[in-house]
Amino acid sequence: MMDKKTMKNKDYDEYQMMVRYKYGYYALFLLIGLIVTNQFIVAFHVWASPFLQTLVMLYIVGIYLITMYIFKNAYIGKKERSPFRTIAYMGFVGVINFAYIILLRPDFPFYKDNHLQDNIGTLLAAIFFSYISVILFINYYINKKKEEE
Amino acid sequence: MKIARLECDLKQADLAAQIGVTRQTISLIESGDYNPTLNLCIAICKALGKSLDELFWEDDEK
């Protein structure tokens, strides 16, 4: 039997673990669906390199997982009382990626000859980290409002 | 459970910290949106000084 001491040592509590398993399971099916759908699309039009196709599919699954984890309060571990450190860190990484695109690669096309270019990875990373930062912030206020009620 | 917690003059966050879960988990248990495991029920009972029966048993109202 898991005692109180053991529960205190874990990064996530049992509800958070349950949510993570549950949406991880859903994400697996989402990934399978995306792979099958992509195979149909690629049969008619190759929209990106195989590497980028994989990256985009994983990206969609990652966005889904992160969104569910955050809004179900299973993203930040129980030891971290305030999400602001994570918000700042993710926001910073997002801004660095956006800065890299704007300052160092301003005229590098993301879409060329009916193909997404591999360098879109930086833009996807910028959106991903900024997105985490924004929804963590939104969720913080949702929780705060619920707490007040 | 909420009444027992208030009797102990504890906030959700205090109880959560005592038993090693998040405040949101305590909130979900109190609102009936999450059924905790027996381990967590026991930890809550010990923290609030109540028995499992007192906190979690519901009599069928006839």
Side-chain angles (χ1 to χ4, degrees):
Chain A
M1 238 181 162
M2 187 168 57
D3 61 11
K4 199 167 80 176
K5 198 175 174 185
T6 315
M7 280 195 281
K8 274 187 178 172
N9 289 336
K10 289 171 77 178
D11 289 332
Y12 300 98
D13 68 30
E14 60 171 49
Y15 168 75
Q16 291 179 308
M17 292 305 292
M18 186 270 291
V19 167
R20 292 174 86 88
Y21 292 145
K22 180 181 167 183
Y23 288 100
Y25 181 72
Y26 291 164
L28 174 68
F29 283 96
L30 176 62
L31 183 60
I32 292 167
L34 285 171
I35 290 169
V36 172
T37 308
N38 186 53
Q39 285 306 309
F40 280 114
I41 294 169
V42 168
F44 297 102
H45 173 61
V46 179
W47 54 276
S49 67
F51 166 75
L52 190 59
Q53 287 172 25
T54 311
L55 188 74
V56 169
M57 284 188 284
L58 289 174
Y59 185 81
I60 293 167
V61 172
I63 289 279
Y64 167 74
L65 265 182
I66 292 285
T67 308
M68 297 319 292
Y69 285 176
I70 289 176
F71 284 114
K72 296 286 179 182
N73 294 304
Y75 181 69
I76 290 181
K78 60 186 181 182
K79 287 172 192 163
E80 200 172 331
R81 289 295 170 88
S82 164
F84 284 106
R85 200 178 66 178
T86 312
I87 290 171
Y89 176 71
M90 293 296 174
F92 177 73
V93 177
V95 168
I96 291 288
N97 276 289
F98 275 122
Y100 176 74
I101 295 162
I102 294 164
L103 298 174
L104 300 176
R105 287 178 153 179
D107 54 353
F108 206 93
F110 292 127
Y111 194 76
K112 194 178 168 187
D113 302 329
N114 284 334
H115 274 67
L116 271 183
Q117 302 298 302
D118 286 356
N119 68 338
I120 204 169
T122 317
L123 178 65
L124 293 180
I127 294 168
F128 186 74
F129 289 111
S130 307
Y131 175 75
I132 292 174
S133 186
V134 169
I135 62 171
L136 270 173
F137 194 70
I138 293 168
N139 191 52
Y140 171 77
Y141 276 98
I142 291 171
N143 281 335
K144 204 176 170 188
K145 209 169 181 181
K146 277 182 189 169
E147 206 173 344
E148 285 167 3
E149 283 168 5
Chain B
M1 183 179 141
K2 188 176 180 179
I3 295 163
R5 176 173 62 77
L6 293 173
E7 280 173 2
C8 292
D9 199 23
L10 286 171
K11 288 180 182 173
Q12 283 183 345
D14 301 328
L15 178 61
Q18 262 192 49
I19 58 178
V21 297
T22 59
R23 189 202 60 76
Q24 286 82 8
T25 301
I26 296 295
S27 172
L28 287 166
I29 295 168
E30 284 187 353
S31 60
D33 292 328
Y34 173 62
N35 288 322
T37 61
L38 186 56
N39 291 316
L40 185 53
C41 289
I42 292 169
I44 293 168
C45 288
K46 284 180 178 172
L48 298 178
K50 299 273 183 187
S51 68
L52 278 170
D53 266 11
E54 287 172 310
L55 275 193
F56 295 104
W57 188 259
E58 286 178 0
D59 283 321
D60 291 333
E61 287 180 21
K62 291 175 184 174

